[in-house]
Amino acid sequence: MNWDEKLKPLKQSKAFKHLIEEVETLYQTRTVYPPKKALFRALALTPYQSVKLVILGQDPYHQANQANGLAFSVEKGVHIPPSLKNIFKELSSDLNISPPTHGDLTAWAKQGVLLLNTILSVEDSQPGAHQALGWHMVSEAIIKALNEHPQPCVFFLWGKHAQQKETWINTDKHLVIKSSHPSPLSAHRSFFGSKPFSKTNAFLKKHGRAPIDFNIPND
């Protein structure tokens, strides 16, 4: 089973087709991120069957050259955003992994880490600009499909926005790790010290799944 099959009912719906038409128009008339070809990059890099961990973001970075289709990730050479710096700090504290010199999380995506924003597009310098377009039906369909995954998965729900999605997840089957958001405004509340990475690999091993190598190559 792949994403196309799992999301077929959604893609055939009038609401989804209307959403895509609206988004196409916005790309033609306004400055929208990420690049259009990267809208569904998270699904392209992390096939349905390979998903082990889901990291939920809200909407893409809203400054030029930041958003690359993966939640929290930026391309090599782009300044590492504050939330991602804090994710790397917790990774270092949790697994003693040195923070990488860049913020490209492709290495995680290729290992089964679905880096999913619940809203997939944004306008320049306007965070949340596309939250009313209808992207929530897409993220809902994705999370519900993952809830039916043949193997147990892990979900990182960082912050209140992400935690609203827990209602779609069977917590008897999957592991949900909740804390405050890693942004500088809230990371100190419960994100730092939450040890999400070691908890993820312990859970995966317990259920016979290969652990994730959270090291990110610098080259």
Side-chain angles (χ1 to χ4, degrees):
M1 186 69 77
N2 57 35
W3 284 119
D4 281 340
E5 292 172 78
K6 295 299 292 185
L7 300 178
K8 190 174 181 180
L10 168 74
K11 289 184 173 182
Q12 290 179 338
S13 69
K14 287 183 180 178
F16 179 79
K17 291 173 182 175
H18 178 69
L19 164 66
I20 296 303
E21 286 173 4
E22 276 197 89
V23 172
E24 287 274 2
T25 300
L26 289 167
Y27 269 104
Q28 292 168 15
T29 57
R30 301 182 190 179
T31 303
V32 177
Y33 308 125
K36 189 165 68 169
K37 65 182 180 181
L39 264 180
F40 296 100
R41 185 168 176 238
L43 300 183
L45 283 179
T46 313
Y48 177 77
Q49 291 285 21
S50 75
V51 175
K52 297 176 180 177
L53 167 63
V54 183
I55 301 181
L56 278 185
Q58 189 160 352
D59 60 353
Y61 296 123
H62 54 84
Q63 299 296 333
N65 303 315
Q66 284 189 309
N68 67 2
L70 303 178
F72 294 104
S73 176
V74 292
E75 293 296 288
K76 291 176 183 174
V78 176
H79 182 72
I80 300 174
S83 291
L84 185 53
K85 281 186 178 179
N86 285 339
I87 290 170
F88 289 158
K89 281 183 185 177
E90 180 59 21
L91 177 64
S92 178
S93 170
D94 186 5
L95 294 179
N96 198 29
I97 289 175
S98 298
T101 56
H102 62 85
D104 182 4
L105 302 181
T106 300
W108 288 2
K110 289 182 175 179
Q111 288 188 77
V113 180
L114 182 66
L115 296 153
L116 178 67
N117 282 315
T118 55
I119 303 163
L120 295 185
S121 60
V122 72
E123 289 178 31
D124 183 64
S125 304
Q126 296 184 59
H130 289 182
Q131 63 182 358
L133 281 185
W135 282 122
H136 290 291
M137 68 177 160
V138 178
S139 51
E140 178 178 352
I142 292 169
I143 297 169
K144 287 182 173 179
L146 289 168
N147 188 51
E148 299 170 356
H149 200 281
Q151 295 177 288
C153 301
V154 182
F155 293 80
F156 288 177
L157 305 184
W158 292 333
K160 290 182 180 178
H161 176 84
Q163 287 162 18
Q164 292 171 356
K165 317 307 178 193
E166 186 178 11
T167 184
W168 305 328
I169 303 166
N170 176 1
T171 54
D172 291 329
K173 175 182 178 182
H174 305 291
L175 176 63
V176 171
I177 297 176
K178 295 185 286 186
S179 74
S180 59
H181 193 276
S183 78
L185 295 174
S186 59
H188 62 281
R189 292 181 196 152
S190 61
F191 176 74
F192 288 135
S194 60
K195 300 187 180 299
F197 305 101
S198 58
K199 290 175 181 175
T200 293
N201 278 341
F203 179 83
L204 292 173
K205 288 177 187 176
K206 178 183 174 183
H207 290 88
R209 305 196 73 184
I212 296 161
D213 179 3
F214 286 106
N215 283 283
I216 296 174
N218 284 321
D219 53 14

mmCIF file of all heavy atoms in Angstrom, residues 31 33 61-67 74 78 124-125:
data_model
loop_
_atom_site.group_PDB
_atom_site.id
_atom_site.type_symbol
_atom_site.label_atom_id
_atom_site.label_comp_id
_atom_site.label_asym_id
_atom_site.label_seq_id
_atom_site.Cartn_x
_atom_site.Cartn_y
_atom_site.Cartn_z
ATOM 1 N N THR A 31 3.487 35.437 -3.646
ATOM 2 C CA THR A 31 4.724 34.738 -3.297
ATOM 3 C C THR A 31 4.402 33.686 -2.243
ATOM 4 O O THR A 31 4.057 34.018 -1.103
ATOM 5 C CB THR A 31 5.778 35.718 -2.762
ATOM 6 O OG1 THR A 31 6.008 36.729 -3.741
ATOM 7 C CG2 THR A 31 7.086 34.992 -2.469
ATOM 8 N N TYR A 33 5.313 29.821 -0.391
ATOM 9 C CA TYR A 33 6.339 28.836 -0.043
ATOM 10 C C TYR A 33 5.668 27.562 0.448
ATOM 11 O O TYR A 33 4.573 27.622 0.989
ATOM 12 C CB TYR A 33 7.258 29.378 1.061
ATOM 13 C CG TYR A 33 7.855 30.734 0.778
ATOM 14 C CD1 TYR A 33 7.697 31.790 1.681
ATOM 15 C CD2 TYR A 33 8.583 30.975 -0.397
ATOM 16 C CE1 TYR A 33 8.244 33.032 1.424
ATOM 17 C CE2 TYR A 33 9.133 32.222 -0.658
ATOM 18 C CZ TYR A 33 8.955 33.250 0.261
ATOM 19 O OH TYR A 33 9.496 34.491 -0.001
ATOM 20 N N TYR A 61 7.929 27.507 6.889
ATOM 21 C CA TYR A 61 8.623 28.769 7.139
ATOM 22 C C TYR A 61 8.164 29.792 6.105
ATOM 23 O O TYR A 61 7.953 29.454 4.942
ATOM 24 C CB TYR A 61 10.143 28.578 7.030
ATOM 25 C CG TYR A 61 10.727 27.650 8.070
ATOM 26 C CD1 TYR A 61 11.462 26.520 7.688
ATOM 27 C CD2 TYR A 61 10.582 27.898 9.432
ATOM 28 C CE1 TYR A 61 12.026 25.673 8.639
ATOM 29 C CE2 TYR A 61 11.142 27.058 10.392
ATOM 30 C CZ TYR A 61 11.858 25.954 9.991
ATOM 31 O OH TYR A 61 12.414 25.118 10.919
ATOM 32 N N HIS A 62 8.053 31.049 6.530
ATOM 33 C CA HIS A 62 7.419 32.049 5.659
ATOM 34 C C HIS A 62 8.381 33.118 5.145
ATOM 35 O O HIS A 62 7.963 34.174 4.680
ATOM 36 C CB HIS A 62 6.257 32.716 6.403
ATOM 37 C CG HIS A 62 6.644 33.305 7.731
ATOM 38 N ND1 HIS A 62 7.182 34.554 7.846
ATOM 39 C CD2 HIS A 62 6.591 32.786 8.979
ATOM 40 C CE1 HIS A 62 7.436 34.806 9.113
ATOM 41 N NE2 HIS A 62 7.085 33.748 9.833
ATOM 42 N N GLN A 63 9.690 32.835 5.227
ATOM 43 C CA GLN A 63 10.674 33.747 4.639
ATOM 44 C C GLN A 63 11.331 33.084 3.420
ATOM 45 O O GLN A 63 11.363 31.870 3.311
ATOM 46 C CB GLN A 63 11.734 34.125 5.675
ATOM 47 C CG GLN A 63 11.175 34.844 6.906
ATOM 48 C CD GLN A 63 10.563 36.202 6.585
ATOM 49 O OE1 GLN A 63 10.957 36.852 5.605
ATOM 50 N NE2 GLN A 63 9.600 36.630 7.372
ATOM 51 N N ALA A 64 11.870 33.879 2.543
ATOM 52 C CA ALA A 64 12.456 33.385 1.296
ATOM 53 C C ALA A 64 13.553 32.355 1.552
ATOM 54 O O ALA A 64 14.350 32.497 2.483
ATOM 55 C CB ALA A 64 13.024 34.551 0.493
ATOM 56 N N ASN A 65 13.553 31.316 0.733
ATOM 57 C CA ASN A 65 14.594 30.276 0.724
ATOM 58 C C ASN A 65 14.616 29.388 1.966
ATOM 59 O O ASN A 65 15.571 28.635 2.168
ATOM 60 C CB ASN A 65 15.982 30.899 0.528
ATOM 61 C CG ASN A 65 16.075 31.712 -0.738
ATOM 62 O OD1 ASN A 65 15.624 31.282 -1.787
ATOM 63 N ND2 ASN A 65 16.636 32.910 -0.644
ATOM 64 N N GLN A 66 13.569 29.440 2.802
ATOM 65 C CA GLN A 66 13.556 28.601 3.998
ATOM 66 C C GLN A 66 12.788 27.295 3.783
ATOM 67 O O GLN A 66 13.361 26.217 3.909
ATOM 68 C CB GLN A 66 12.948 29.380 5.175
ATOM 69 C CG GLN A 66 13.864 30.417 5.786
ATOM 70 C CD GLN A 66 13.290 30.978 7.069
ATOM 71 O OE1 GLN A 66 12.140 31.403 7.129
ATOM 72 N NE2 GLN A 66 14.089 30.996 8.115
ATOM 73 N N ALA A 67 11.511 27.383 3.491
ATOM 74 C CA ALA A 67 10.667 26.182 3.396
ATOM 75 C C ALA A 67 11.129 25.272 2.263
ATOM 76 O O ALA A 67 11.367 25.732 1.136
ATOM 77 C CB ALA A 67 9.206 26.576 3.189
ATOM 78 N N VAL A 74 15.342 23.055 6.618
ATOM 79 C CA VAL A 74 15.738 24.065 5.632
ATOM 80 C C VAL A 74 16.871 23.483 4.786
ATOM 81 O O VAL A 74 17.512 22.508 5.171
ATOM 82 C CB VAL A 74 16.213 25.386 6.290
ATOM 83 C CG1 VAL A 74 15.065 26.108 6.969
ATOM 84 C CG2 VAL A 74 17.362 25.140 7.271
ATOM 85 N N VAL A 78 21.241 27.561 4.410
ATOM 86 C CA VAL A 78 20.250 28.477 4.980
ATOM 87 C C VAL A 78 20.446 28.504 6.505
ATOM 88 O O VAL A 78 20.667 27.463 7.129
ATOM 89 C CB VAL A 78 18.816 28.026 4.625
ATOM 90 C CG1 VAL A 78 17.773 28.910 5.300
ATOM 91 C CG2 VAL A 78 18.629 28.042 3.106
ATOM 92 N N ASP A 124 4.522 34.732 1.733
ATOM 93 C CA ASP A 124 5.707 35.439 2.211
ATOM 94 C C ASP A 124 5.380 36.355 3.393
ATOM 95 O O ASP A 124 4.486 37.208 3.320
ATOM 96 C CB ASP A 124 6.292 36.279 1.064
ATOM 97 C CG ASP A 124 7.565 36.986 1.468
ATOM 98 O OD1 ASP A 124 8.554 36.300 1.761
ATOM 99 O OD2 ASP A 124 7.561 38.234 1.507
ATOM 100 N N SER A 125 6.096 36.121 4.503
ATOM 101 C CA SER A 125 6.000 36.961 5.708
ATOM 102 C C SER A 125 4.619 36.960 6.351
ATOM 103 O O SER A 125 4.308 37.853 7.146
ATOM 104 C CB SER A 125 6.418 38.413 5.393
ATOM 105 O OG SER A 125 7.720 38.445 4.849
#
